[in-house]
Amino acid sequence: MSGKVALICGAGQFPLVAARAAEVRGQEVFLLALKGIASEGVANFPHVWLGVGQLGAALREIEARGIKDICFIGGLGRPEFADLRPDWGAIKRLPDIFRLLKGGDDHALKGVIKLFESEGLRVIGVETLAPELVAAPGEMNRLAFPAEMAEDLAFGHDCLAALSAFDCGQALVLAKRRIVALEAAEGTDAMLLRVAELREKGRWRAKGPAGMLIKAPKKGQDLRVDLPAMGPETVASAAKAGLMGIAVEAGRVLILDRAAVAAQAEKAGLFLYGFSRETQV
Amino acid sequence: MSGKVALICGAGQFPLVAARAAEVRGQEVFLLALKGIASEGVANFPHVWLGVGQLGAALREIEARGIKDICFIGGLGRPEFADLRPDWGAIKRLPDIFRLLKGGDDHALKGVIKLFESEGLRVIGVETLAPELVAAPGEMNRLAFPAEMAEDLAFGHDCLAALSAFDCGQALVLAKRRIVALEAAEGTDAMLLRVAELREKGRWRAKGPAGMLIKAPKKGQDLRVDLPAMGPETVASAAKAGLMGIAVEAGRVLILDRAAVAAQAEKAGLFLYGFSRETQV
């Protein structure tokens, strides 16, 4: 990367952590904070607040600073069209925007990338901006990934891959070749709390810690926009669900403060394993 | 079918309704009611109570009556091995039983069929015993299946088909090509109540009735054992979730009292549509 990078900041602490990590690496950043979505903490960086629909203004701010690289980071939710309040720059591009808002998340986000690329910008992923924020390969704490779970991991990852075509499902819980829960619109934490309930109600019976959470991006997902993320809540919910551990795709799942999350998982008795397709059975 | 049919009765009213429907068709039935699982109502039919593990006794009861056809009906849950209390007939077959209890539901049930077939019995499906208990093709009430949802139906059914290989997922909720919820161990009703919550919390935003429940057996599922089922609770939960309607695979989803369920759906403003692969776009 040469010159400044514009971070288009959605919700949560990830954008701020990524901005700080980039700065530590000597990268100049400029934050475009989405109104009503981004954290107030953007004030600690050079920034401007913009509405989600202010595409024209966003492009002007980027161009005015001679920025060529942009990076999307942080959750967006799924804005309602009525909330978008499009500016003229957005209205000009309405046909494209309508097209890209149809269908699932991935579909929409690919459209967003194309929209910015068609303006001559380069869209980079967070793993390029701050590689220390993504899952490391192998065991991330002192709890070993149990060899007997390798087959389950491959099975579960195949299932997530099969779901990719349907633009949903970046996580599931399984134990002994049985898929206990599949994530769709509810999100990973809600899915894990459901697993905890299923155990309480005896709908999923297992003695002691059992099963694992598997999380990976969709096959063909454009990682420059929406790497899946996990954090302390994920670990807490996985612990509530009584799992053995968490397996995430190395290099392709964001972990805010990896060391702390790995330690928290270890304390809760959960392995935290970064798998890659090659390391699977 | 010639002669009596043995119904191996799991939980709920389905076994009783099927037994009555078969009798109305002039078919003699004998019920093997699973202890702690089957409804007390089996007392209205020629019957015997047996533990889930009493395979030897079950085979003796069947043979003693010269019965050649058996039909499994009603939910089993997933018995814990400790609850099975195997008799000698079961213990002799333990290696087979262990093999068949590994993996998902479908896997296990295929094993059960093989076990009975290896004893010279024929396993028939409920749709053979009582065809009036399965979903009819086309519209089952006066609410039309919206033509603009045909593409969503095909998309959702493809998704369920893709999940078949992973032995989970017989139902999902989707709207405008977005999959809102996927069923795994929680069951259809719990999934629908989750959708209702997602709407309340604004995680799935839609004005007025939107989306549909799609339910179909797994591809390659042995329909002789575990046809998926829907009933009044499914309709009530789908209404709570604010759906437009319910699409089930015709001939391959059980509906206890189809006419009443169709009327209940109509009253709740829900279409009830029996699709077949051929009627899809």
Side-chain angles (χ1 to χ4, degrees):
Chain A
M1 276 168 287
S2 58
K4 234 176 260 190
V5 174
L7 272 64
I8 305 200
C9 302
Q13 296 302 305
F14 266 129
L16 311 180
V17 174
R20 185 65 70 212
E23 283 187 343
V24 168
R25 299 169 75 86
Q27 174 65 56
E28 258 194 291
V29 296
F30 178 72
L31 277 55
L32 284 87
L34 297 173
K35 275 186 204 165
I37 298 176
S39 154
E40 293 294 327
V42 296
N44 297 319
F45 301 88
H47 74 284
V48 63
W49 286 94
L50 288 172
V52 173
Q54 288 183 268
L55 184 58
L59 291 169
R60 277 194 305 276
E61 295 282 354
I62 291 167
E63 201 191 348
R65 284 166 184 81
I67 294 172
K68 292 288 169 219
D69 293 308
I70 63 170
C71 178
F72 292 87
I73 183 157
L76 259 191
R78 184 173 267 262
E80 279 290 289
F81 191 73
D83 300 343
L84 290 181
R85 300 176 177 275
D87 66 7
W88 284 111
I91 286 168
K92 272 201 308 193
R93 296 167 182 89
L94 272 187
D96 290 337
I97 294 172
F98 274 119
R99 204 167 46 238
L100 68 86
L101 286 178
K102 271 174 72 180
D105 291 313
D106 191 40
H107 186 78
L109 290 167
K110 273 185 187 152
V112 170
I113 288 188
K114 278 193 197 129
L115 209 62
F116 278 87
E117 284 179 342
S118 70
E119 303 288 334
L121 295 165
R122 191 164 69 121
V123 179
I124 61 166
V126 180
E127 76 288 0
T128 305
L129 188 73
E132 64 272 41
L133 296 181
V134 296
E139 284 145 11
M140 286 176 265
N141 62 26
R142 280 170 296 181
L143 298 176
F145 176 78
E148 69 273 18
M149 290 177 101
E151 211 181 312
D152 262 3
L153 177 54
F155 182 74
H157 192 205
D158 283 346
C159 182
L160 290 179
L163 279 172
S164 291
F166 302 95
D167 210 358
C168 64
Q170 297 184 291
L172 56 78
V173 171
L174 93 168
K176 292 186 184 160
R177 243 188 136 219
R178 181 178 183 218
I179 292 170
V180 179
L182 289 166
E183 177 185 338
E186 74 276 25
T188 306
D189 293 341
M191 178 189 65
L192 288 168
L193 297 178
R194 174 163 87 247
V195 172
E197 261 181 56
L198 287 170
R199 282 192 90 159
E200 269 168 40
K201 289 182 190 159
R203 295 289 301 255
W204 172 37
R205 293 202 251 178
K207 279 183 192 118
M212 69 182 138
L213 167 68
I214 305 179
K215 203 170 158 90
K218 283 169 266 193
K219 216 164 60 181
Q221 178 170 349
D222 199 313
L223 299 176
R224 289 172 299 170
V225 176
D226 65 337
L227 233 41
M230 65 161 291
E233 311 76 28
T234 318
V235 173
S237 304
K240 269 187 209 155
L243 304 186
M244 293 273 291
I246 300 171
V248 293
E249 195 168 348
R252 291 158 63 90
V253 172
L254 285 171
I255 308 183
L256 174 72
D257 200 347
R258 195 167 69 194
V261 165
Q264 179 200 1
E266 184 176 303
K267 212 171 154 187
L270 299 165
F271 65 76
L272 180 60
Y273 182 68
F275 68 89
S276 59
R277 216 41 196 160
E278 294 71 44
T279 62
Q280 284 182 46
V281 171
Chain B
M1 277 166 286
S2 60
K4 235 176 262 191
V5 174
L7 271 64
I8 305 199
C9 302
Q13 295 302 304
F14 266 130
L16 312 179
V17 174
R20 186 63 71 212
E23 283 187 344
V24 168
R25 299 169 75 87
Q27 174 65 56
E28 259 195 290
V29 296
F30 178 71
L31 277 55
L32 285 90
L34 298 173
K35 274 184 204 165
I37 298 176
S39 155
E40 293 294 327
V42 297
N44 298 317
F45 302 88
H47 74 285
V48 64
W49 285 95
L50 288 172
V52 173
Q54 291 183 266
L55 185 57
L59 291 169
R60 278 194 304 277
E61 295 282 353
I62 291 167
E63 202 191 349
R65 284 167 184 81
I67 294 173
K68 293 286 170 221
D69 293 308
I70 63 169
C71 178
F72 293 87
I73 183 158
L76 259 191
R78 182 171 270 263
E80 280 290 288
F81 190 74
D83 300 343
L84 289 181
R85 301 174 175 277
D87 66 7
W88 284 110
I91 286 167
K92 271 200 310 192
R93 296 168 182 88
L94 271 187
D96 290 337
I97 292 171
F98 274 119
R99 203 166 46 235
L100 68 85
L101 284 179
K102 271 175 66 182
D105 291 312
D106 192 39
H107 187 79
L109 291 166
K110 273 186 188 151
V112 170
I113 288 187
K114 278 194 198 129
L115 209 62
F116 279 86
E117 284 178 343
S118 71
E119 302 289 333
L121 295 165
R122 192 163 69 120
V123 179
I124 61 165
V126 181
E127 75 289 359
T128 306
L129 188 74
E132 63 273 40
L133 296 181
V134 296
E139 284 143 11
M140 287 177 264
N141 63 24
R142 280 170 297 181
L143 298 177
F145 176 77
E148 69 273 17
M149 290 177 100
E151 211 181 313
D152 263 1
L153 177 53
F155 182 74
H157 192 206
D158 283 347
C159 182
L160 290 178
L163 279 172
S164 291
F166 303 95
D167 211 357
C168 66
Q170 298 185 289
L172 57 79
V173 171
L174 92 167
K176 292 186 185 160
R177 246 190 131 217
R178 181 176 182 217
I179 292 169
V180 179
L182 289 167
E183 177 185 336
E186 75 276 24
T188 307
D189 292 341
M191 177 189 64
L192 288 169
L193 296 178
R194 174 163 88 249
V195 172
E197 260 180 58
L198 287 170
R199 283 191 88 159
E200 268 166 42
K201 290 182 190 159
R203 296 288 301 254
W204 173 38
R205 294 201 250 178
K207 278 183 192 117
M212 68 182 140
L213 166 69
I214 304 179
K215 205 171 159 90
K218 283 169 268 195
K219 218 164 59 180
Q221 178 170 350
D222 200 315
L223 298 175
R224 289 171 299 172
V225 175
D226 65 336
L227 233 40
M230 65 161 289
E233 311 75 29
T234 319
V235 173
S237 305
K240 269 187 209 153
L243 304 186
M244 291 273 292
I246 300 171
V248 293
E249 196 169 348
R252 293 158 60 92
V253 171
L254 285 170
I255 309 182
L256 173 74
D257 200 346
R258 194 166 69 193
V261 165
Q264 180 200 358
E266 184 175 304
K267 213 171 153 187
L270 299 165
F271 64 75
L272 180 61
Y273 182 68
F275 68 88
S276 60
R277 216 40 197 160
E278 294 72 43
T279 64
Q280 283 183 46
V281 172

